[in-house]
Amino acid sequence: MPELPEVEVVRRGVDRWAQGRTVESVSVTDIRSLRRHDVSASSEAARIESFVSALVGRRLAAPQRRGKFLWIPLETPLVAASPDADAGAGAGETIRPAPTHALLIHLGMSGQVLINTPSEPSQKHLKITLDLQLPGTETNQMRFIDQRIFGGMQISELVNSAHPSGSVPAAAAHIAADPLEPAMNAEEFFRSLRRKKTSLKRALLDQTMISGIGNIYADEALWFAQLHYLRPTGTMTRAEAARLLIAVEQVMLAALEAGGTSFDALYVNVNGASGYFDRSLQSYGRTGQPCRRCAETPRAALIRRDPFMGRSSFWCPTCQPRPRRLRA
DNA sequence: GAAGTCCTGGTG
DNA sequence: CACCAGGACTTC
């Protein structure tokens, strides 16, 4: 399940292998991956057409990321400076207008971005949903694969924003800064927690409060910070909020390191997850296993699993005691 | 703010 | 064969 670290691995792969290439053609194999693209299109054909025409001939600029959203700003082709222009533009000078739109990608649960894969996927469940042809020497194809089609791509207008790149796609403009952005601020995080009347894990999963965190890293960060997932956000202290934010950052960076170690031209992606999961997870998926923090103490406990928000929460009863009051 | 929706491979 | 997993969005 791609969360921030996995998406960042993909971003780096796209940056290395596809950035600077011009899209030659696009083929859409499963329109469901374009569910969120041009929702006002009058027909499926019109939706595909508007997606394809927005991409063909465009040069892929440096890919950007916020939380779990990834986007590639689209540059218009080089335009020769007008020969009639003033003396400022010399012969052979070109103008590259700033991108106004981006290809916005969300991996959902099972999305992958692959570069230069064989025409047939290695496994049946790797469902190809669309391909971009990118003429180039090393690589010439960027492919989107999505088994469960929760993810997708869309063309979105870029709007000015505090993001390091200066803009974000309009379709992702409601997403908050993520823990690895310079804009992330502990004091603001603390205040937004205090304002919100909800449980701590719900807040961590709310992409408009802090972005990039999914079910897995939420539980991991709560374990590291020794906080219970049902803790009312209104009762959080400044110190606890700071501790939590540091835990989030640390778990993200550790996962990134583990997931970012290996990718080649074939796999931009890739489950940063698979390598990291088995070894480093402290709470997620460890139901009934000893908590690695309190294991050697007199109060050693086993990791518990509770149903939460239609999914699961994993926690240690000793290290993350349930709050007495569940409402602020 | 809870529930429903989108999906399908994998598991009980 | 029923059910689970999951993120983001819509709907009550």
Side-chain angles (χ1 to χ4, degrees):
Chain A
M1 290 113 258
E3 299 180 30
L4 186 157
E6 291 76 35
V7 179
E8 175 59 16
V9 170
V10 174
R11 192 198 66 77
R12 291 177 183 184
V14 171
D15 189 68
R16 177 169 171 188
W17 299 107
Q19 195 248 107
R21 296 278 154 70
T22 297
V23 180
E24 184 180 74
S25 63
V26 179
S27 73
V28 178
T29 320
D30 193 325
I31 187 149
R32 292 176 298 177
S33 286
L34 299 184
R35 190 179 293 129
R36 293 179 191 84
H37 171 75
D38 193 8
V39 290
S40 65
S42 56
S43 66
E44 287 197 351
R47 176 172 302 191
I48 292 174
E49 164 58 21
S50 85
F51 182 76
V52 172
S53 62
L55 283 167
V56 170
R58 299 304 179 106
R59 181 176 179 269
L60 305 180
Q64 307 293 328
R65 184 190 54 73
R66 165 167 275 178
K68 305 171 202 172
F69 285 82
L70 170 68
W71 67 93
I72 310 175
L74 302 171
E75 289 174 346
T76 47
L78 285 177
V79 182
S82 162
D84 301 332
D86 294 340
E93 195 160 325
T94 55
I95 299 166
R96 199 187 289 284
T100 59
H101 289 73
L103 172 61
L104 178 63
I105 304 170
H106 198 291
L107 302 178
M109 280 188 66
S110 54
Q112 295 181 49
V113 177
L114 308 178
I115 296 288
N116 254 15
T117 50
S119 55
E120 290 302 317
S122 55
Q123 295 161 44
K124 281 203 193 89
H125 67 264
L126 296 179
K127 183 183 189 61
I128 300 168
T129 63
L130 62 88
D131 286 330
L132 268 58
Q133 295 300 329
L134 312 168
T137 48
E138 290 178 272
T139 60
N140 57 34
Q141 176 198 70
M142 187 169 92
R143 168 168 286 170
F144 189 61
I145 285 181
D146 194 357
Q147 178 193 136
R148 299 184 196 175
I149 332 242
F150 270 40
M153 294 190 176
Q154 67 191 109
I155 304 297
S156 184
E157 188 179 5
L158 288 167
V159 296
N160 291 335
S161 151
H163 187 268
S165 69
S167 62
V168 298
H174 60 295
I175 299 299
D178 68 50
L180 302 188
E181 277 181 51
M184 196 68 221
N185 176 291
E187 181 62 21
E188 270 180 44
F189 178 60
F190 166 65
R191 282 204 278 258
S192 68
L193 285 177
R194 294 292 301 232
R195 272 198 304 273
K196 203 91 177 175
K197 289 264 177 291
T198 188
S199 65
L200 197 46
K201 182 163 174 183
R202 200 178 279 278
L204 288 178
L205 296 177
D206 180 347
Q207 306 295 304
T208 66
M209 285 194 69
I210 182 171
S211 69
I213 306 172
N215 201 39
I216 295 167
Y217 295 119
D219 281 358
E220 291 300 295
L222 288 167
W223 183 91
F224 278 106
Q226 300 189 59
L227 292 163
H228 193 275
Y229 68 95
L230 289 178
R231 175 68 179 276
T233 52
T235 68
M236 288 286 284
T237 67
R238 187 175 268 106
E240 286 171 330
R243 199 167 81 212
L244 178 59
L245 188 55
I246 288 171
V248 169
E249 289 166 354
Q250 292 306 305
V251 74
M252 293 286 181
L253 289 172
L256 185 52
E257 203 168 317
T261 50
S262 71
F263 55 74
D264 56 30
L266 225 54
Y267 297 97
V268 161
N269 147 2
V270 285
N271 281 332
S274 49
Y276 177 74
F277 273 21
D278 333 83
R279 303 165 193 281
S280 311
L281 291 184
Q282 304 294 337
S283 64
Y284 185 85
R286 299 194 65 243
T287 312
Q289 297 177 52
C291 168
R292 294 194 169 115
R293 181 191 288 111
C294 61
E296 305 302 324
T297 72
R299 300 186 58 220
L302 305 180
I303 298 293
R304 291 185 45 176
R305 172 188 178 278
D306 289 354
F308 178 74
M309 286 177 78
R311 22 188 89 82
S312 300
S313 261
F314 300 90
W315 58 292
C316 169
T318 292
C319 303
Q320 302 162 270
R322 187 182 169 93
R324 286 186 185 85
R325 288 179 306 143
L326 288 180
R327 298 177 67 91

